[in-house]
Amino acid sequence: GQVTLDDVVMKTLGLFSIVILVGAASWFAVAGNDRLTLPLLLGGMFGGLAVGLVIAFKKTISVPLIVLYSVLEGVLVGAISPVFESRYPGVVSTAVIATLSTFAGMFLAWKFGVIRVTDRSRRIFGMALVGYLLFSLVNVVVSFMGVGHSWGIGGRHSVVGIGISVLGVGLASYSLAIDFDSVDRAVAAKLPEKYSWLLAHGLIVTLVWLYLEILRLLSRMRSWARSDERRGGKEWWSRWAPYGYNKNT
């Protein structure tokens, strides 16, 4: 058979369901024993990175590896989300809504030609992505060394940190447009049906990445707002109310 839009949609929903279910199980595991947080977080992060690289460089499409990647991403999301939620109540639900809204917005922007994907923009994005990936790996290392109160370069409530998170959200958002364009090109080229798995995998990678970037951005904004309060900022909480901040938390 050939790749169809329905194939990609159904497989994406299937993989997304795996992320959600495993994420929920991981969250409950962490809630029951917080000592599991770090092992699950590191296992999901580096396990997902390793499997993702194998999928990317493997000459054949492996469905079991793609499913395993979704499982590992679910472990990561489920382990890291309660950490942010405990510090900034309500931030996870806000990040989920923002992620889904961004997905819908980017799809419409791409569909109606507001955002275009060209060969040139793909090359530019690819170079930017490699640079950001290298930065992120370094940032993970320095964060474990305690830099920026374990937030890494930019800290948790600085303008630089917020700027870095905005850049991450921007890259992840444009990656969605590239994913949509890749699906469109695959359908037009009548590629074999097995490629629908790879396309669905790409969408899951981007969605998880976007969620984590938005989660960090919102948390940094909440932390900056609290810092502003301590500095005597006037009516600081009203500026961040749309992002889920409650002055009583």
Side-chain angles (χ1 to χ4, degrees):
Q2 299 172 348
V3 172
T4 65
L5 182 59
D6 288 344
D7 287 335
V8 178
V9 170
M10 293 307 298
K11 289 178 174 61
T12 301
L13 289 175
L15 294 175
F16 185 69
S17 297
I18 291 174
V19 174
I20 297 299
L21 291 174
V22 175
S26 180
W27 184 310
F28 284 120
V30 168
N33 184 358
D34 58 7
R35 287 181 296 181
L36 292 174
T37 300
L38 190 59
L40 290 177
L41 194 157
L42 293 178
M45 180 187 300
F46 292 109
L49 177 62
V51 173
L53 289 174
V54 172
I55 293 172
F57 292 103
K58 190 175 175 61
K59 294 183 179 180
T60 58
I61 297 173
S62 174
V63 176
L65 284 179
I66 289 174
V67 172
L68 175 59
Y69 180 86
S70 296
V71 170
L72 291 169
E73 290 300 276
V75 171
L76 170 62
V77 169
I80 200 171
S81 294
V83 175
F84 283 91
E85 183 69 17
S86 64
R87 296 178 181 177
Y88 311 101
V91 73
V92 169
S93 58
T94 305
V96 170
I97 294 172
T99 300
L100 297 177
S101 298
T102 302
F103 180 89
M106 288 301 297
F107 176 76
L108 292 174
W110 168 79
K111 187 68 176 177
F112 292 105
V114 177
I115 295 178
R116 297 183 182 278
V117 177
T118 64
D119 291 337
R120 183 171 181 270
S121 69
R122 282 175 177 267
R123 289 194 297 270
I124 294 174
F125 174 80
M127 291 186 289
L129 183 60
V130 170
Y132 190 75
L133 176 61
L134 292 175
F135 167 79
S136 297
L137 291 175
V138 172
N139 204 33
V140 168
V141 174
V142 299
S143 66
F144 279 111
M145 296 170 61
V147 174
H149 299 284
S150 297
W151 277 74
I153 300 170
R156 64 185 177 188
H157 51 65
S158 71
V159 174
V160 173
I162 291 175
I164 291 172
S165 289
V166 169
L167 174 62
V169 171
L171 287 173
S173 298
Y174 189 74
S175 182
L176 282 173
I178 290 182
D179 290 335
F180 299 145
D181 190 66
S182 296
V183 173
D184 190 55
R185 292 187 182 193
V187 173
K190 299 180 180 180
L191 295 180
E193 189 270 339
K194 63 182 179 180
Y195 281 92
S196 60
W197 281 105
L198 198 59
L199 294 166
H201 166 70
L203 284 166
I204 292 300
V205 171
T206 304
L207 273 173
V208 173
W209 175 27
L210 178 62
Y211 166 74
L212 294 176
E213 292 289 357
I214 289 177
L215 186 64
R216 285 173 60 84
L217 173 60
L218 294 177
S219 298
R220 273 176 159 148
M221 292 172 72
R222 294 267 296 265
S223 183
W224 187 79
R226 289 178 178 177
S227 176
D228 188 36
E229 177 193 19
R230 289 192 292 270
R231 292 195 300 268
K234 184 178 179 181
E235 297 295 332
W236 60 270
W237 55 269
S238 62
R239 298 197 299 271
W240 306 109
Y243 303 100
Y245 190 80
N246 186 332
K247 66 177 180 176
N248 296 318
T249 60

